[in-house]
């Protein structure tokens, strides 16, 4: 059962020009996604997400994610593998929480991304994959 705050958020929050999902909030499932469930539980205990739905904090979580991306980039530039591993993990944690705050799961977002890229064609140029249409032939 969604809380009043969750219902308000779902009805009034706009993300990238579209209303936030009104689907019922669901936790990550077990198996290979067990780590996601642990992060969701951790975030709930700290008030970052609510078991009945999202709280209106995704803008703050996005800023936290960008901070972690910067730290990850620094670790990569300085060839610090321990900090790079930690930074990648921190970024994933931020994305799990961000997804939950937007009434989504990381699995759902990964599936959507996979559906978009699975048949994508393009070419590798200077170490960067460029999809068809992003470069001149």
């Amino acid at each position: 059962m969604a809380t009043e705050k969750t219902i308000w958020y779902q009805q009034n929050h706009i993300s990238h020009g579209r209303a936030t999902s009104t689907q019922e909030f669901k936790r990550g499932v077990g198996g290979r996604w067990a780590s996601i469930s642990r992060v969701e539980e951790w975030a709930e205990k700290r008030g970052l997400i609510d078991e009945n739905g999202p709280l209106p904090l995704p803008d703050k979580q996005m800023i936290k994610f960008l901070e972690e991306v910067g730290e990850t980039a620094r670790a990569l530039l300085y060839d610090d593998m321990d900090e790079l591993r930690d930074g990648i993990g921190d970024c994933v944690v931020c994305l799990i929480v961000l997804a939950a705050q937007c009434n989504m799961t990381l699995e759902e977002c990964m599936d959507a991304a996979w559906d978009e890229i699975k048949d994508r064609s393009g070419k590798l140029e200077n170490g960067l994959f460029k999809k068809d249409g992003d470069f001149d032939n």
Side-chain angles (χ1 to χ4, degrees):
M1 184 85 175
T3 65
E4 286 182 45
K5 189 177 212 179
T6 299
I7 292 168
W8 177 90
Y9 182 84
Q10 291 172 339
Q11 292 172 346
N12 295 292
H13 182 71
I14 302 297
S15 176
H16 301 289
R18 62 177 171 72
T20 299
S21 173
T22 56
Q23 295 179 0
E24 183 177 332
F25 178 77
K26 57 187 186 287
R27 288 207 178 286
V29 295
R32 67 183 185 161
W33 300 110
S35 293
I36 294 172
S37 293
R38 286 194 320 241
V39 170
E40 290 169 334
E41 290 170 11
W42 172 90
E44 185 179 332
K45 287 179 183 175
R46 285 150 182 83
L48 292 168
I49 58 175
D50 185 288
E51 66 180 2
N52 295 313
L55 297 174
L57 302 173
D59 55 336
K60 305 288 192 249
Q61 190 63 27
M62 187 65 197
I63 292 168
K64 181 65 176 170
F65 170 69
L66 294 174
E67 175 189 337
E68 297 297 349
V69 167
E71 291 176 11
T72 304
R74 184 179 195 285
L76 185 63
L77 290 171
Y78 284 86
D79 199 26
D80 186 335
M81 293 301 112
D82 290 336
E83 287 298 316
L84 181 60
R85 182 177 295 105
D86 179 65
I88 291 170
D90 288 346
C91 287
V92 173
V93 166
C94 287
L95 290 174
I96 292 167
V97 174
L98 179 62
Q101 289 175 341
C102 293
N103 204 28
M104 300 175 202
T105 64
L106 186 65
E107 302 97 311
E108 177 183 359
C109 296
M110 292 293 298
D111 287 345
W114 174 248
D115 288 343
E116 185 176 328
I117 69 165
K118 66 183 177 190
D119 298 319
R120 183 172 287 166
S121 59
K123 66 180 180 178
L124 191 63
E125 188 175 293
N126 295 323
L128 177 67
F129 181 81
K130 295 184 177 182
K131 64 183 179 182
D132 286 339
D134 284 355
F135 52 87
D136 296 325
N137 289 328

